[in-house]
């Protein structure tokens, strides 16, 4: 049996000693300066990422308190321990007050890659799913499968974790999977982003200050498009423009639209406001729509494996591997 406490203390020791310091000014030439390095970039596998999405969906809805939530927590913890090593993966357990007096048992899952590197970046997504299909006309009170809204971002990060294990990146990379992002009822923002809020208010490593952070949300659906989300452009425009420039070079300009998107409240806003880590959100939405702009399957029972497109995940994966392995 793994001693989780000793593993966590070792994680604190290593990251506390090695994580770089500095301000979060987006003009800082060291933290947010990009150029091609001429390095070999490993091949991102959308087939592997798709498999990781399917595995999560196979557990059913992953809303807090459900059987699928518990099975998925065990699965994600096991996968990240396998890729990062037992002592470099950590489950941050916490409780939050839910509706009607419910006590929610939640877990953020964290993994550190290339821990000896002082220069670090962070990648994140949420792994929980919505406990209600409030945008559906049928069974609106039942939880959804969340193939895109939840599982796609996590699946993509698991594939990157596999690459980091096989080919260590030139920089330290920390993956954080947030819980409780999608718990709140429509309009009740105080009960969204539970995991990122807890993580930001209780950072496992005090003073954690990566160069930047990238949040992935709904990055696997058919016909996806990713305009430049407004909060992302406010907090880290240099990073946004670099990623969208890479996408154009990679032939994915039809997905990564060079146009302003909507201002979307998501985990990245919490991280920016509480910790000041420049964090952007790669998120599917349509800036031309007057409503939320999200896909028709958003918060419905149609968010299942039928709408997952490996080519979308391939495009996002190619952009991120080029960024991490060859631009920083």
């Amino acid at each position: 049996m793994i001693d989780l406490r000793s593993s966590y203390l070792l994680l604190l020791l290593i990251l506390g000693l090695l994580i770089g310091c500095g301000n979060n000014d987006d003009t800082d030439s060291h933290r947010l300066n990009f150029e091609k390095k001429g390095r070999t970039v490993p091949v991102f596998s959308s087939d592997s990422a798709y498999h990781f999405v399917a595995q999560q969906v196979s557990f059913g809805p992953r809303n807090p308190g459900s059987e699928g939530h518990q099975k998925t927590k065990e699965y994600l913890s096991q996968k990240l321990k396998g890729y990062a090593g037992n002592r470099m993966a950590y489950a941050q357990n916490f409780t939050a007050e839910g509706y009607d007096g419910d006590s929610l048992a939640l877990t953020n899952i964290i993994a550190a890659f290339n821990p000896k590197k002082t220069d670090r970046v962070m990648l994140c997504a949420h792994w929980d799913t919505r406990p209600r299909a409030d945008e559906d006309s049928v069974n609106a009170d039942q939880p959804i499968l969340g193939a895109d809204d939840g599982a796609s971002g996590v699946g993509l990060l698991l594939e990157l974790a596999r690459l980091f294990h096989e080919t260590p990146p030139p920089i330290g990379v920390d993956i954080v999977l947030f819980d409780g992002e999608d718990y709140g009822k429509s309009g009740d923002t105080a009960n969204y982003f539970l995991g990122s809020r807890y993580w930001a208010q209780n950072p496992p490593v005090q003073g954690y200050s990566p160069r930047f952070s990238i949040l992935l949300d709904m990055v696997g659906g058919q016909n996806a498009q990713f305009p430049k989300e407004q909060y992302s452009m406010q907090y880290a425009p240099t990073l946004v423009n670099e990623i969208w420039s890479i996408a154009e070079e990679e032939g994915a300009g039809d997905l990564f639209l060079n146009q302003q998107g909507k201002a979307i409240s998501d985990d990245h806003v919490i991280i920016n406001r509480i910790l000041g880590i420049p964090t952007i959100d790669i998120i599917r939405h349509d800036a031309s729509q007057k409503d939320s702009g999200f896909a028709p399957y958003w918060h419905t029972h149609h968010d299942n494996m039928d709408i997952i497109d490996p080519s979308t995940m391939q495009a996002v994966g190619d952009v991120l591997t080029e960024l991490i392995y060859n631009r920083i």
Side-chain angles (χ1 to χ4, degrees), residues 154-165:
V154 174
L156 200 147
L157 292 183
L158 287 181
E159 169 57 9
L160 288 175
R162 186 188 68 81
L163 291 182
F164 298 156
H165 173 72

Side-chain angles (χ1 to χ4, degrees), residues 18-58:
L18 295 178
I19 285 175
C21 298
N23 62 57
N24 288 326
D25 185 354
D26 188 48
T27 64
D28 187 316
S29 61
H30 170 64
R31 293 171 66 83
L32 291 175
N33 183 49
F34 306 95
E35 61 179 12
K36 291 183 180 181
K37 302 297 194 299
R39 304 187 187 114
T40 300
V41 178
V43 177
F44 181 92
S45 170
S46 59
D47 289 341
S48 177
Y50 183 92
H51 168 75
F52 291 136
V53 175
Q55 281 292 304
Q56 295 171 80
V57 173
S58 73

Side-chain angles (χ1 to χ4, degrees), residues 45-288:
S45 170
S46 59
D47 289 341
S48 177
Y50 183 92
H51 168 75
F52 291 136
V53 175
Q55 281 292 304
Q56 295 171 80
V57 173
S58 73
F59 298 130
R62 280 92 63 206
N63 52 298
S66 67
E67 181 180 4
H69 187 263
Q70 179 62 32
K71 288 182 176 179
T72 304
K73 180 179 77 170
E74 295 170 359
Y75 170 74
L76 297 177
S77 296
Q78 179 268 327
K79 296 303 293 185
L80 287 179
K81 286 177 183 177
Y83 292 139
N86 284 337
R87 292 185 179 273
M88 287 295 102
Y90 167 64
Q92 185 186 42
N93 298 308
F94 65 102
T95 58
E97 183 179 350
Y99 294 114
D100 301 320
D102 286 348
S103 179
L104 306 175
L106 303 174
T107 303
N108 295 326
I109 304 170
I110 305 164
F113 295 85
N114 220 357
K116 293 184 178 180
K117 291 290 185 179
T118 61
D119 200 3
R120 309 193 68 78
V121 299
M122 173 177 154
L123 306 174
C124 51
H126 76 90
W127 68 271
D128 64 302
T129 54
R130 192 152 183 79
R132 65 196 72 82
D134 43 354
E135 295 293 323
D136 209 321
S137 59
V138 178
N139 296 325
D141 60 340
Q142 297 300 306
I144 67 170
L145 286 172
D148 195 24
D149 194 358
S152 66
V154 174
L156 200 147
L157 292 183
L158 287 181
E159 169 57 9
L160 288 175
R162 186 188 68 81
L163 291 182
F164 298 156
H165 173 72
E166 293 184 351
T167 307
I171 192 170
V173 180
D174 303 306
I175 289 178
V176 182
L177 306 181
F178 296 121
D179 200 356
E181 186 269 354
D182 226 349
Y183 175 75
K185 295 179 180 179
S186 181
D188 180 17
T189 56
N191 279 297
Y192 281 85
F193 325 126
L194 300 178
S196 60
R197 188 176 289 111
Y198 183 86
W199 177 86
Q201 293 172 340
N202 303 273
V205 178
Q206 293 297 322
Y208 179 59
S209 182
R211 281 201 203 184
F212 59 78
S213 174
I214 300 173
L215 173 67
L216 304 179
D217 199 352
M218 295 185 283
V219 290
Q222 298 169 355
N223 304 312
Q225 290 185 322
F226 311 109
K228 297 177 177 179
E229 189 271 333
Q230 286 186 36
Y231 287 123
S232 301
M233 289 298 290
Q234 174 185 339
Y235 291 117
T238 301
L239 176 59
V240 173
N241 290 332
E242 178 67 16
I243 289 174
W244 266 249
S245 176
I246 293 172
E248 183 68 28
E249 294 175 16
E250 296 282 339
D254 57 332
L255 278 78
F256 288 78
L257 301 181
N258 187 24
Q259 64 183 50
Q260 180 172 289
K262 292 177 178 290
I264 297 174
S265 294
D266 208 344
D267 288 318
H268 68 306
V269 176
I270 300 295
I271 298 168
N272 277 296
R273 290 179 176 172
I274 295 179
L275 291 181
I277 297 171
T279 305
I280 72 160
D281 193 6
I282 301 177
I283 183 168
R284 174 184 181 153
H285 66 288
D286 185 344
S288 68

